[in-house]
Amino acid sequence: MSLLDVENLWVRFPTRQGVFDAVRGVSFTLDRERLGIVGESGSGKSMTGRAILRLIRKPGIVEADHIKLEGQNLLDLTEPQMREVRGQKISMVMQDPKFSLNPVMTVGDQIMEAYLLHNDTSKSQARAKSIAMLEAVSIRDPERVMRAYPHEMSGGMGQRIMIAMMLVPDPQILIADEPTSALDVSVQRQVLDIMDGLVKERGMGLIFISHDLNLVAEFCDRVLIMYAGRIVEVCDADRLHEAQHPYTRGLLNSLPRLDQPRKHLEVLTRDDTWAEAESVRGNA
Amino acid sequence: MIALSIRKLDVWFGSDRDRVDAVKDASFEVADGESFGLVGESGSGKSTILKAITGLAPTWSGEITVEGQPLQGGTRNRAFYKTVQMVFQDPYASLHPRHTVDQVLSETLYLHGLAGIDKRVEALLSDVGLGGRFRFRYPHQLSGGQRQRVAIARALAGEPDILLLDEPTSALDVSVQAEILNLLTDLRDEHNLTYLMVSHDLPVIGHMCDRLAVMKDGEIVEVMAADDLRNNTASHPYSQSLLKASAAG
């Protein structure tokens, strides 16, 4: 049985101009693997991640035949039951640390809060654990960082702080929504190594949402490519560069490359038929 | 001619136990018409150098010279703003949410003391590849790429010689990034601009710049030509590791 099984997922937003379908009939499964979801902004990749955790707020509508976590349909759970799932079973690292950290609490207090919520222990132990976690995500000078407020942190540090908080409850599935797009290559590597370790050591499933094709090709096992709310192509990550779909090809070709200098970069030309084609199934 | 010269620049924030030395003893020169890149990890001080140049980080020492004119502290005169302009990383944050494109550009032109604002707004929009129909839109009615075009138009309003580009495409999709980088390439040719570009993306820097400086912990560890980047002939071990990480990612 798959760790996570999503069947025919739709995310809809009613607007004055009619209903907007952000995600349109997406099906995929996740095992203990690293699954990448790539696409441009607006392709529905983040909405897919949020829908799994039922984080789409009203008036947004989430519909699916099922979203099963180890056989348990998450759509049947009550909101208090769902709160048990979030964090404990499925955790999410959001896109932007600027918006996901509390701006008026010190970093230390926030990590300690996350730890104390899930563990019945003393404050001094929570503090020691928090410092250990900051070190685990390779933050220099964790003592100073504990005293600091989020606005004093760079984006890369903020994101590593977020991941440190995620390490606390030991979840089965980690949904990482552009966790490294604010980071630079060397730090990106560290953050990915941390997440890679989690997948391997704890047997976690990882959904890695990103717009960075090269990163996904290198880091994930399988990749779903989304366009306009649908999956247009599924491929093994190491074969991403052999992808067939013109959209995937267009994205790959628009990247600047060190080995092929040119004056102008290729620009993606879109085709309406991409959006209309049936969603491809992303089963393992 | 030297457009921009930085000598022995130190920039720091805070004091006592919370003092952070963001830039330490940085020196480099950017020739007229050249594109110079700054790369390094977050917190390495690359954006801080841009902030020191523009006066947004007033606590610095050393020498910053723009077209032969030395700068002091955090105050800049009008002539400076007509010479140097900046494009920020996040087009979602750098435009006023309640000002239309027209207001953004008109106000900038007015502040530069330029005449014929109406005509100039039109010209600026067409310069950055936005038609007249975008003129009276609000930022939320624009996509990320269109917003960054407006931010570039705003920077171009005073007809500057030097553009400071702080991660101008890192918030954008790769397809849109290609469009913006192409636009910056064309504008550089048309207006004979000098670029100082900060990015963590080595291929982007390699694509746009002639030379680059690699920064680590506030210090410049190596200045090299973009060709060195392409031929993988970086000499400092840190630059090599950065290149390796980038090639793998």
Side-chain angles (χ1 to χ4, degrees), chain B residues 121-134:
Chain B
V121 170
E122 263 174 46
L124 281 172
L125 283 176
S126 81
D127 258 3
V128 296
L130 291 175
R133 65 201 168 95
F134 291 99

Side-chain angles (χ1 to χ4, degrees), chain A residues 14-246:
Chain A
T15 68
R16 254 177 273 174
Q17 286 83 37
V19 178
F20 174 73
D21 298 321
V23 178
R24 304 183 297 154
V26 164
S27 305
F28 64 91
T29 61
L30 173 78
D31 284 318
R32 298 179 195 285
E33 59 174 339
R34 296 164 299 184
L35 177 71
I37 304 182
V38 288
E40 295 170 280
S41 40
S43 62
K45 55 189 195 310
S46 295
M47 282 299 156
T48 305
R50 286 169 168 267
I52 293 167
L53 274 174
R54 284 182 34 195
L55 286 174
I56 310 277
R57 273 198 217 141
K58 282 188 174 161
I61 303 158
V62 177
E63 282 169 8
D65 293 355
H66 60 247
I67 302 176
K68 282 186 182 162
L69 173 68
E70 295 186 305
Q72 166 78 59
N73 191 354
L74 296 180
L75 295 173
D76 295 339
L77 297 181
T78 61
E79 193 50 34
Q81 285 172 322
M82 199 59 213
R83 269 204 290 276
E84 294 289 308
V85 172
R86 292 185 198 121
Q88 296 278 34
K89 289 185 175 155
I90 307 179
S91 250
M92 190 159 180
V93 179
M94 302 274 186
Q95 213 156 345
D96 194 337
K98 263 181 288 187
F99 298 118
S100 33
L101 289 170
N102 186 339
V104 295
M105 260 172 102
T106 62
V107 168
D109 285 347
Q110 292 186 53
I111 303 180
M112 280 162 62
E113 184 186 41
Y115 188 69
L116 290 167
L117 200 66
H118 294 287
N119 297 276
D120 191 16
T121 127
S122 70
K123 252 191 129 172
S124 61
Q125 206 187 338
R127 191 181 153 75
K129 180 82 183 166
S130 303
I131 290 176
M133 283 187 294
L134 286 175
E135 278 167 352
V137 292
S138 28
I139 280 186
R140 281 167 289 173
D141 202 358
E143 295 276 352
R144 183 177 68 85
V145 171
M146 289 286 282
R147 284 197 304 273
Y149 285 91
H151 75 269
E152 298 173 273
M153 299 289 105
S154 68
M157 287 171 87
Q159 200 57 299
R160 281 183 277 171
I161 291 162
M162 285 302 298
I163 291 174
M165 288 171 77
M166 305 299 325
L167 291 171
V168 188
D170 204 4
Q172 289 165 294
I173 297 178
L174 181 61
I175 302 175
D177 189 353
E178 304 263 9
T180 61
S181 36
L183 316 182
D184 26 49
V185 281
S186 47
V187 188
Q188 211 168 52
R189 178 73 22 206
Q190 292 168 9
V191 171
L192 292 178
D193 285 344
I194 291 161
M195 291 202 298
D196 199 35
L198 291 172
V199 175
K200 287 204 178 107
E201 284 159 30
R202 312 190 191 192
M204 268 173 35
L206 174 70
I207 298 180
F208 189 84
I209 300 168
S210 177
H211 67 271
D212 190 332
L213 290 125
N214 282 327
L215 188 70
V216 168
E218 212 238 334
F219 179 66
C220 293
D221 302 311
R222 269 190 320 135
V223 186
L224 314 177
I225 295 115
M226 286 189 73
Y227 181 76
R230 290 196 164 147
I231 302 174
V232 294
E233 191 165 13
V234 180
C235 56
D236 288 334
D238 47 6
R239 300 218 168 157
L240 184 63
H241 290 272
E242 298 161 25
Q244 297 300 315
H245 197 279

Side-chain angles (χ1 to χ4, degrees), chain B residues 3 30-35 161-164 188 192-196:
Chain B
V30 187
D32 211 15
E34 188 186 22
S35 293
D161 301 328
I162 302 169
L163 272 195
L164 308 178
R188 181 172 58 194
N192 192 25
L193 293 166
T194 304
Y195 286 165
L196 177 58

